[in-house]
Amino acid sequence: MAMDSRRTHRESAVVVGGGISGLLAARELAMKGLRVTLVEKRSHLGGAVGAHEVDGHVLDSGAESFATRTSDVAELLTELGIEDKICSPYDGGSWLYLQDGAHPAPRTGILGIPGDLSDPSIREILSSAGLRRAKMDKLLPASVGANAKTLGELVRKRMGQQVVDRLVAPVTTGVQSTHPDEVEIESVIPGLQAALAQRGSLAAASASLRAASPAGSQVAGLVGGMNQLSEALVRDVLRRRVRILTGYDAIAVDRDPDRGGWTLLQRAPQLGERVAPVHGKYLVMATDAPTTLRILGSHLDASTIPQVKAGHEIALVTLAIEQPELDSRPRGTGLLVSDQVATVRAKALTHATAKWKWIAEEMGPGKHVVRLSYGRGNDHGPLREVSLYDDQLITLAMHDAGKLLGVSITRGNLLGADVVRWKGSLPTMRPGHREKVQQFRNSLQDLEGVTAVGAWLSGNGLAAVTADTRRTMHEFIDATSAD
Ligand SMILES: Cc1cc2nc3c(=O)[nH]c(=O)nc-3n(C[C@H](O)[C@H](O)[C@H](O)COP(=O)(O)OP(=O)(O)OC[C@H]3O[C@@H](n4cnc5c(N)ncnc54)[C@H](O)[C@@H]3O)c2cc1C
């Protein structure tokens, strides 16, 4: 059946999860003429792409940019009619905060892997011995590291430990909340090992992947924030008559013996804890891994259910401050902090008013927004900053921000603050993850009328989620059209 033909009768579908992947899945189904119900546990839609208010300004509470290496997100924004809001961040680059202080981050590679070891900024970061070791990358045969299981192992084998500790770990822990020794290469940098085989060195491979992005920055944002994407998607699916149920917590799913298809059981606290069933011929799971696996698990062969953990907990502390010394953007768009630094607990700081012109214009001169993230993923028990109360985290963030940006920040500077906590929204892609995903997707073939999407299947980030969700939904719609 051709992709653009509409269903002749109004078949129904239920989508569980109202993040970007669930909204996109609902949109694709509605575009084919299905009657869609979308169920979201929280009171708001968009998942990790949301908004909050700080000092009267509406800012992103989660994702704040998208990767431009592929055109998937830009195409979606165009379809949604908000492409005119696309904006580039300030081009001054970011910094690294290491044990010996702040250094401009090299801008030649991808995810901290240097693309050009002759770049002068690298000499500021690596010792002479560390740099000599890194340069061995060019002399080693391409086969060295070809079988590496983790990103850390690959970088260590080709460029040495210092590159792992001082360049790559601050980026992966800051951005993905995971140490490079815990992440599967292909899940975080698709195509890196193929590029290494082709180009002969890791530096050349990293440079070639960076060059695949359009000139300038590797990311873009939206005026008004990435939350505009969620809003536009919600508007779009409502226009397509998708029924949206927020505050409904999906707990289980059963086959419907009478009508065929699936009945989703949900907890609806606002209806006095009643179980609220909703029926659909088709079911799309668009939640985190533990939820999708729990809900579908009893219908799958137990041996095919992968063990995938929820992502680490992250706390984002946003401070609105009056501090004119920050007008000069002392640390570019922000800093990523090495986990070997003992005097700063944040893993990253985004200087939002330096990075995004629209936020600077909204705040006005002398006023700034900084966002600090906590929760490295490898911190446990009492060492976890995320276990602090909001007020404690705000005080800690003021201390860390002052240290990272090299200015004084006290309560007197504070205009407003907010803490947003994310649990399970940034799944960890451990070695073997892609294989597990493939195995799970294969096992779904046996469940008639069911599919699953989401960051744990696609890889983290809006570019990966957008591309994978649309591809999966197109394949699903085509396959079920033959029913
Ligand atoms: C703090 C943070 C910052 C990020 N920054 C960026 C960035 O700058 N750029 C970028 O490209 N990516 C970023 N990402 C990653 C990106 O936002 C995610 O990969 C993407 O939004 C995931 O979308 P999703 O729909 O798969 O998952 P989610 O957004 O997690 O949505 C899943 C939804 O399912 C719902 N749900 C769960 N269980 C149930 C249930 N039982 N019943 C009903 N609903 C349920 C959840 O409430 C949630 O709304 C960031 C992520 C986080 C957490």
Side-chain angles (χ1 to χ4, degrees):
M1 180 167 153
M3 283 301 299
D4 60 352
S5 63
R6 292 175 71 84
R7 304 278 167 141
T8 46
H9 53 287
R10 295 271 280 155
E11 292 169 343
S12 59
V14 176
V15 177
V16 183
I20 296 300
S21 55
L23 288 166
L24 271 174
R27 179 172 188 259
E28 295 293 336
L29 292 164
M31 281 162 78
K32 293 289 165 225
L34 274 87
R35 247 179 324 117
V36 184
T37 304
L38 181 139
V39 178
E40 165 56 48
K41 179 169 78 171
R42 297 189 202 148
S43 58
H44 59 272
L45 297 157
V49 187
H52 66 152
E53 207 181 297
V54 186
D55 183 36
H57 301 277
V58 177
L59 302 169
D60 283 321
S61 58
E64 47 112 49
S65 63
F66 60 93
T68 49
R69 195 147 73 86
T70 60
S71 57
D72 297 283
V73 178
E75 280 163 20
L76 174 64
L77 296 169
T78 304
E79 283 173 38
L80 295 171
I82 54 169
E83 73 280 13
D84 57 327
K85 291 179 191 272
I86 297 176
C87 58
S88 295
Y90 167 62
D91 194 24
S94 61
W95 288 54
L96 295 171
Y97 198 82
L98 308 173
Q99 286 134 304
D100 55 346
H103 304 272
R107 303 174 70 186
T108 59
I110 190 156
L111 221 68
I113 303 171
D116 177 4
L117 288 162
S118 64
D119 184 295
S121 64
I122 308 260
R123 250 177 275 136
E124 300 287 313
I125 293 168
L126 301 181
S127 67
S128 320
L131 184 58
R132 273 200 307 278
R133 172 63 187 90
K135 285 184 172 169
M136 278 175 64
D137 170 49
K138 209 172 172 181
L139 310 172
L140 294 169
S143 57
V144 172
N147 296 323
K149 296 252 179 313
T150 65
L151 186 64
E153 187 186 344
L154 173 65
V155 177
R156 189 176 298 110
K157 280 192 166 144
R158 297 217 57 99
M159 294 184 167
Q161 187 65 36
Q162 270 199 17
V163 176
V164 176
D165 290 341
R166 293 174 74 83
L167 286 164
V168 181
V171 183
T172 60
T173 45
V175 177
Q176 309 258 357
S177 271
T178 328
H179 191 273
D181 283 333
E182 280 185 59
V183 292
E184 184 174 60
I185 302 160
E186 200 60 19
S187 289
V188 289
I189 316 183
L192 181 65
Q193 270 167 315
L196 167 62
Q198 207 185 356
R199 311 250 164 194
S201 77
L202 187 58
S206 178
S208 73
L209 292 181
R210 187 180 180 108
S213 294
S217 174
Q218 296 191 291
V219 296
L222 291 177
V223 174
M226 284 313 295
N227 60 81
Q228 301 289 307
L229 166 61
S230 297
E231 277 199 21
L233 265 175
V234 172
R235 273 197 306 274
D236 184 273
V237 298
L238 284 174
R239 197 169 51 78
R240 296 178 196 280
R241 299 185 182 282
V242 169
R243 186 166 71 120
I244 293 179
L245 303 177
T246 51
Y248 282 74
D249 182 6
I251 47 179
V253 71
D254 291 328
R255 285 182 200 275
D256 191 318
D258 303 323
R259 288 181 282 179
W262 299 89
T263 299
L264 181 74
L265 303 180
Q266 314 166 86
R267 192 180 145 250
Q270 73 280 27
L271 301 178
E273 292 297 336
R274 220 174 60 200
V275 169
V278 51
H279 175 268
K281 180 170 181 191
Y282 302 110
L283 173 71
V284 182
M285 291 301 303
T287 68
D288 53 281
T291 306
T292 291
L293 295 170
R294 175 172 52 74
I295 288 180
L296 294 182
S298 56
H299 302 278
L300 292 167
D301 174 352
S303 67
T304 65
I305 303 172
Q307 297 288 316
V308 183
K309 287 193 189 149
H312 302 298
E313 186 176 347
I314 301 163
L316 294 183
V317 186
T318 302
L319 308 175
I321 46 183
E322 181 144 26
Q323 177 44 287
E325 284 178 52
L326 294 180
D327 289 357
S328 63
R329 302 183 174 107
R331 302 288 187 257
T333 55
L335 307 95
L336 295 156
V337 185
S338 159
D339 59 3
Q340 299 183 342
V341 171
T343 52
V344 172
R345 275 96 192 157
K347 64 191 175 85
L349 177 150
T350 303
H351 185 174
T353 28
K355 187 169 183 179
W356 304 109
K357 194 169 163 222
W358 69 269
I359 305 183
E361 284 173 356
E362 258 201 58
M363 294 297 292
K367 295 185 177 169
H368 289 270
V369 173
V370 293
R371 184 167 92 163
L372 295 98
S373 40
Y374 291 88
R376 290 184 180 279
N378 57 355
D379 38 16
H380 303 289
L383 294 176
R384 286 160 41 101
E385 279 82 26
V386 289
S387 59
L388 292 173
Y389 294 117
D390 286 4
D391 279 351
Q392 295 173 315
L393 265 176
I394 290 169
T395 305
L396 184 62
M398 286 194 297
H399 162 85
D400 285 351
K403 203 140 196 167
L404 291 169
L405 295 165
V407 299
S408 150
I409 298 174
T410 65
R411 284 268 163 192
N413 301 96
L414 201 61
L415 303 169
D418 192 35
V419 178
V420 180
R421 295 170 189 272
W422 294 102
K423 271 189 192 163
S425 301
L426 267 181
T428 305
M429 312 284 164
R430 293 202 163 77
H433 184 82
R434 281 167 70 90
E435 207 177 302
K436 286 180 185 173
V437 163
Q438 199 46 55
Q439 183 189 3
F440 172 70
R441 283 188 154 154
N442 292 345
S443 71
L444 279 186
Q445 311 278 341
D446 302 333
L447 277 192
E448 205 183 308
V450 179
T451 194
V453 290
W456 73 277
L457 295 158
S458 65
N460 282 317
L462 295 171
V465 165
T466 304
D468 185 78
T469 301
R470 295 180 115 184
R471 188 172 49 242
T472 305
M473 292 312 298
H474 289 177
E475 284 168 13
F476 179 66
I477 289 164
D478 278 352
T480 55
S481 300
D483 290 356

